[in-house]
Amino acid sequence: MATSLSNCSQLQILALPDNEFGGPMHSEFGRLINLQILELGMNRFTGIIPQEMENLVNLVELAMEKTDSGSVPISIFNISLLQILSVWENNLSGFLPREIRSLTELEELRLAFNSFGGSLPMEIFNISGLRVIDLTNNNLSGSLPPNMGSILPNIEELYMGNLTNLVGTIPHSISNCSKLTILELSSNKLRGLIPNSLGYLTHIQYLNLGGNNLTRDSSLSFLTSLTNCRKLTTLGLYLNALNGMLPASAGNLSTSLRTFVAYSCKIKGRIPNDLGNLSSLLDLDLSANSLAGPIPTTIGNLRNLQRFNLSNNKLKGFIGYM
């Protein structure tokens, strides 16, 4: 297939995703030197991405999702015009090279569901034009840079869930990432307080901090700060030792909130009546906590609720019409 195209030297866009092309990727792809967009995702290619790809110096988008390739040559990180690099859900392995700093025009980096290992290169966070970083489900170790808010001013989507050893804290400077709409940090080893500065992320829609070692102050004030996030639709706090009481201010979270998941958080006390204000809720999971007292009648205001899980608590009283 590649051989039949190798003479098309003026080709600028080659889009072949979602087919059944198979076998190794041919080195003659490297002859398409005027190529700007190369989309080969969801095929059945095998073997490594050929070294000759470095010849595609005009490439601005390389998309090779689900192609089952084995490794990425370092030379790809020398294609300085690249704006989109999307090679998620492959069997890619090895280290992420520090040469990634050469991709100064990069806007989207999608490497999720691979087997990249070693240290998380801080050079990624120095590419100031990045709008999307997706490193979910890799064998990476490291921490979030303390000054990430100043070095990633354009970040809109940050996916770093389920890394092998992401440690440290959520930096307060994240509040300066004012364009963030998605923050996915679940299933890591983050610790320390959930910062109130998250409340400055006024465009945030999806926030998942579940499955870490995060704590809180005595009043769960971070929930109060999140009431400033009027576009928030999903909030995941599960499997963190919050060990406090839900404040009444939780009922002032966004009226767009559809999913609120906080199971196994050691939350105690009563369910505040104000939760009945969250009129768009579809999924409310407060199971496996230490909640006590009755279910407030205001829960009956949640007309759209589809899943309501309060199992393994200490609730009592009557269940009637709410």
Side-chain angles (χ1 to χ4, degrees):
M1 182 266 295
T3 303
S4 64
L5 292 172
S6 60
N7 294 324
C8 302
S9 59
Q10 300 306 308
L11 197 63
Q12 296 181 11
I13 299 175
L14 178 57
L16 302 171
D18 202 9
N19 281 289
E20 296 185 4
F21 295 117
M25 292 187 61
H26 206 287
S27 62
E28 293 192 18
F29 272 112
R31 293 188 180 184
L32 304 176
I33 58 174
N34 288 303
L35 209 57
Q36 297 177 20
I37 296 176
L38 178 57
E39 297 180 354
L40 300 174
M42 291 174 282
N43 282 290
R44 298 180 180 179
F45 295 115
T46 57
I48 63 172
I49 299 172
Q51 186 80 19
E52 287 77 9
M53 286 287 195
E54 68 180 344
N55 298 328
L56 305 181
V57 294
N58 294 301
L59 207 61
V60 297
E61 178 181 345
L62 175 59
M64 297 180 58
E65 306 89 355
K66 295 185 177 182
T67 58
D68 205 26
S69 299
S71 63
V72 177
I74 291 178
S75 55
I76 279 185
F77 298 100
N78 293 325
I79 303 176
S80 60
L81 296 181
L82 208 57
Q83 297 176 15
I84 298 175
L85 177 58
S86 182
V87 290
W88 51 265
E89 200 167 335
N90 285 293
N91 289 319
L92 299 174
S93 58
F95 299 104
L96 287 177
R98 299 192 181 280
E99 283 81 358
I100 200 169
R101 61 181 168 231
S102 300
L103 302 180
T104 56
E105 302 298 318
L106 200 62
E107 296 182 9
E108 297 184 22
L109 178 64
R110 301 183 185 271
L111 305 177
F113 294 93
N114 282 294
S115 298
F116 290 115
S119 298
L120 178 65
M122 288 297 102
E123 285 78 4
I124 289 176
F125 299 102
N126 289 328
I127 304 174
S128 62
L130 273 171
R131 295 184 297 103
V132 179
I133 298 175
D134 190 353
L135 301 175
T136 301
N137 279 79
N138 276 287
N139 300 324
L140 296 168
S141 301
S143 59
L144 297 171
N147 60 338
M148 65 178 297
S150 58
I151 58 180
L152 286 176
N154 296 299
I155 195 71
E156 298 174 11
E157 301 176 17
L158 179 61
Y159 305 88
M160 295 181 66
N162 199 26
L163 301 182
T164 295
N165 197 31
L166 184 67
V167 298
T169 61
I170 300 173
H172 286 278
S173 71
I174 200 170
S175 62
N176 294 324
C177 298
S178 59
K179 298 180 181 179
L180 260 181
T181 61
I182 296 175
L183 181 58
E184 167 60 82
L185 296 174
S186 65
S187 302
N188 285 301
K189 298 176 183 177
L190 296 171
R191 55 177 173 75
L193 293 176
I194 299 175
N196 291 343
S197 55
L198 291 174
Y200 290 104
L201 302 177
T202 55
H203 293 286
I204 198 79
Q205 299 174 26
Y206 179 98
L207 176 60
N208 192 356
L209 306 177
N212 282 287
N213 299 313
L214 297 167
T215 56
R216 87 302 169 246
D217 58 20
S218 59
S219 61
L220 270 67
S221 60
F222 75 90
L223 281 173
T224 302
S225 71
L226 290 176
T227 62
N228 295 320
C229 305
R230 305 315 299 170
K231 298 181 180 180
L232 189 64
T233 62
T234 299
L235 177 58
L237 302 171
Y238 53 89
L239 293 170
N240 284 294
L242 301 183
N243 197 29
M245 298 175 63
L246 281 178
S249 60
N252 295 325
L253 290 168
S254 169
T255 53
S256 299
L257 193 67
R258 296 183 178 182
T259 300
F260 184 13
V261 181
Y263 61 81
S264 298
C265 288
K266 298 184 179 179
I267 297 173
K268 54 192 177 183
R270 290 174 175 259
I271 300 172
N273 291 331
D274 306 75
L275 280 191
N277 297 334
L278 303 177
S279 56
S280 295
L281 268 182
L282 303 176
D283 184 355
L284 176 59
D285 190 343
L286 299 173
S287 61
N289 284 294
S290 298
L291 293 167
I295 299 173
T297 57
T298 54
I299 295 296
N301 297 333
L302 305 180
R303 307 290 184 185
N304 297 311
L305 202 59
Q306 297 178 9
R307 191 175 81 104
F308 185 31
N309 191 352
L310 293 175
S311 60
N312 294 306
N313 278 289
K314 300 176 181 179
L315 297 165
K316 60 184 179 179
F318 296 99
I319 298 178
Y321 291 102
M322 292 183 287

